[in-house]
Amino acid sequence: MGSKGGCMSKSDRRITAVFSPAYCLFTDGSRLTRMNELCVKQALYYFRTGQARWVIFGCAYDFWTKEGRLKRNLTRQEKVPDGCVVVVGEVCHRYDEVRRLKRKLEEMGVQRLIFVGERHHLGRQFRKSLERALPGLEVHFDTIVCDRFEPTLEPDRIKRFRASCESAWRLWNWVVELVTPIYLRYRPL
């Protein structure tokens, strides 16, 4: 659609950002999880092909600065200018991340968002809640299929386990999908 480097084509003047959520660090804190790495690389594809002006990353917990540094290292390998990378830090859970992302998008004047996430994480209820939370924003979803599930560096032991195997990950996201309407009734985005 555009040229390299995130420049938008003249025919598409909507300000677009691509977002990759916080999928944490590997349990020893040395690297991004495979799921995280795949989402970052897919987000960078949208920037590289000129479909997004900014790349926004979610980064979690007290480890967010390390996660952000590792994600920025990937962007530098792709020659993405630092000014085109935005980090949403200290995320605790998916709805906290959406709240923080919403504030950032409003500050930036973003009109279109490409949300890159793992396929089980972006269930129908979550997608609908995200679209409701961001009225007037055109939201597109792109899912990746993770080829390796790993334990994550997270304060909660249950969350560490849920990411370590696909069946636990699927079950976790299925339960979250069921409770999303109830949760959002009492804590709207």
Side-chain angles (χ1 to χ4, degrees), residues 61 152 154 157-165 168-169 172:
Y61 306 111
T152 56
E154 299 190 57
R157 197 174 293 168
I158 292 171
K159 283 187 167 184
R160 260 182 263 153
F161 169 74
R162 61 110 203 249
S164 64
C165 68
W169 177 253
W172 176 273

Side-chain angles (χ1 to χ4, degrees), residues 21-177:
Y23 286 127
C24 298
L25 299 172
F26 183 66
T27 192
D28 67 1
S30 65
R31 61 178 174 81
L32 299 174
T33 60
R34 178 69 175 154
M35 186 182 303
N36 207 343
E37 180 186 351
L38 290 171
C39 284
V40 169
K41 287 181 176 179
Q42 185 64 15
L44 292 175
Y45 163 80
Y46 285 105
F47 184 86
R48 224 181 21 256
T49 58
Q51 297 177 61
R53 186 176 293 177
W54 287 292
V55 180
I56 306 173
F57 296 125
C59 297
Y61 306 111
D62 296 337
F63 325 112
W64 75 273
T65 53
K66 173 103 187 236
E67 185 178 357
R69 189 169 48 253
L70 291 170
K71 288 179 175 185
R72 280 189 182 270
N73 288 344
L74 288 174
T75 64
R76 287 183 183 118
Q77 289 173 10
E78 293 286 333
K79 307 220 183 321
V80 176
D82 283 344
C84 295
V85 180
V86 177
V87 173
V88 176
E90 299 180 90
V91 171
C92 296
H93 53 79
R94 72 173 74 191
Y95 302 111
D96 176 49
E97 188 167 40
V98 169
R99 284 184 192 100
R100 291 171 189 263
L101 174 63
K102 180 180 178 178
R103 284 193 297 269
K104 190 61 72 177
L105 294 172
E106 287 168 353
E107 288 171 19
M108 297 167 65
V110 170
Q111 298 162 319
R112 181 171 52 188
L113 177 69
I114 303 167
F115 195 111
V116 178
E118 195 278 331
R119 66 180 169 161
H120 301 296
H121 187 241
L122 295 181
R124 191 173 65 83
Q125 288 296 329
F126 179 69
R127 289 176 189 221
K128 284 172 45 179
S129 64
L130 185 64
E131 289 168 343
R132 276 196 305 271
L134 305 169
L137 187 73
E138 184 181 329
V139 183
H140 299 273
F141 296 93
D142 185 12
T143 58
I144 59 104
V145 177
C146 192
D147 57 359
R148 185 175 73 234
F149 290 80
E150 314 172 295
T152 56
L153 181 61
E154 299 190 57
D156 187 338
R157 197 174 293 168
I158 292 171
K159 283 187 167 184
R160 260 182 263 153
F161 169 74
R162 61 110 203 249
S164 64
C165 68
E166 185 175 6
S167 56
W169 177 253
R170 290 176 77 163
L171 178 61
W172 176 273
N173 283 288
W174 179 76
V175 170
V176 169
E177 183 75 4

